[in-house]
Amino acid sequence: KNEVEQSPQNLTAQEGEFITINCSYSVGISALHWLQQHPGGGIVSLFMLSSGKKKHGRLIATINIQEKHSSLHITASHPRDSAVYICAVRGATNAGKSTFGDGTTLTVKP
Amino acid sequence: SAVISQKPSRDICQRGTSLTIQCQVDSQVTMMFWYRQQPGQSLTLIATANQGSEATYESGFVIDKFPISRPNLTFSTLTVSNMSPEDSSIYLCSVGDGTWGYTFGSGTRLTVV
């Protein structure tokens, strides 16, 4: 079992739909990171969380430390949101090494 | 946050050759990280590059295969040596705080034929 599990693996939505991507982890962490990877391979940092909730434009990220779970929400989805979304955690131990989820491939159709 | 320029963006290389990937950062950073993303998989940390000292490699990665240079606080290179088709991946550099990177380069998509 991976230390970081994302669901769903693939997600197709219609433009305008509300999107939720989930991330569960099994280790103690000091921070969790949501990343967006575009088809060309480049990666953009969306959020870094250690507690609570963060919002940036149409993106919202939440984390529940007790439940070891985080969600990334996209409101009013748009085809340009189509990308791979990756959850990564920074360990509270093991020299703070990072572990990456396998990613969720989101396709938003017009 | 820092801006990273990574080159080349993609390359197709012959088996047995080597490719050097460059990352230039627009500010001085202590730690730079090199990642590999094999097809259909997530990111795996190759090594952490510190200026003025040898890079620290993760389990499964060795300096002879992935030599890294870090001549100053704004630049690093990763060389993929004696390439085989199994080395076909996206390679990314990253900078951040002392334990992980959170600003990434645009990636180098390598295909070995």
Side-chain angles (χ1 to χ4, degrees):
Chain A
K1 187 180 190 300
N2 292 337
E3 290 182 343
V4 180
E5 296 273 354
Q6 284 186 238
S7 64
Q9 186 176 3
N10 296 284
L11 180 57
T12 300
Q14 288 298 129
E15 183 173 357
E17 286 185 358
F18 180 83
I19 304 291
T20 296
I21 299 171
N22 297 299
C23 176
S24 296
Y25 53 91
S26 57
V27 297
I29 69 168
S30 59
L32 181 143
H33 209 166
W34 281 103
L35 306 167
Q36 179 192 54
Q37 185 170 30
H38 297 288
I43 291 180
V44 173
S45 169
L46 298 175
F47 297 104
M48 192 153 63
L49 295 162
S50 56
S51 65
K53 175 179 175 178
K54 286 189 177 180
K55 184 176 188 295
H56 186 260
R58 295 181 295 107
L59 302 178
I60 303 167
T62 64
I63 187 168
N64 185 317
I65 297 294
Q66 287 73 29
E67 294 184 4
K68 293 185 166 60
H69 182 269
S70 175
S71 293
L72 175 69
H73 306 286
I74 305 174
T75 61
S77 59
H78 190 277
R80 64 174 175 268
D81 297 326
S82 299
V84 177
Y85 292 84
I86 300 170
C87 170
V89 300
R90 178 169 59 179
T93 58
N94 192 23
K97 292 294 174 70
S98 54
T99 305
F100 293 82
D102 289 338
T104 295
T105 301
L106 172 65
T107 303
V108 182
K109 295 185 175 180
Chain B
S1 59
V3 176
I4 303 175
S5 173
Q6 183 172 344
K7 296 185 216 181
S9 59
R10 58 176 61 232
D11 207 342
I12 301 173
C13 299
Q14 293 292 322
R15 186 193 301 251
T17 62
S18 297
L19 175 72
T20 296
I21 302 166
Q22 300 180 2
C23 275
Q24 178 76 52
V25 190
D26 68 345
S27 59
Q28 294 186 337
V29 293
T30 305
M31 311 282 275
M32 292 183 72
F33 305 85
W34 287 97
Y35 292 91
R36 180 177 73 180
Q37 186 180 33
Q38 294 178 299
Q41 298 186 26
S42 194
L43 284 77
T44 301
L45 181 64
I46 297 171
T48 303
N50 310 307
Q51 195 271 332
S53 63
E54 292 288 332
T56 303
Y57 289 82
E58 298 299 303
S59 175
F61 298 96
V62 295
I63 188 171
D64 288 346
K65 177 67 176 176
F66 297 102
I68 288 171
S69 78
R70 185 81 203 275
N72 56 53
L73 290 174
T74 64
F75 187 78
S76 179
T77 68
L78 170 77
T79 299
V80 186
S81 303
N82 188 25
M83 289 184 285
S84 66
E86 291 71 36
D87 294 319
S88 297
S89 296
I90 297 173
Y91 293 85
L92 296 115
C93 64
S94 177
V95 301
D97 63 19
T99 53
W100 72 350
Y102 51 74
T103 300
F104 289 83
S106 53
T108 297
R109 187 179 293 272
L110 171 63
T111 303
V112 183
V113 297

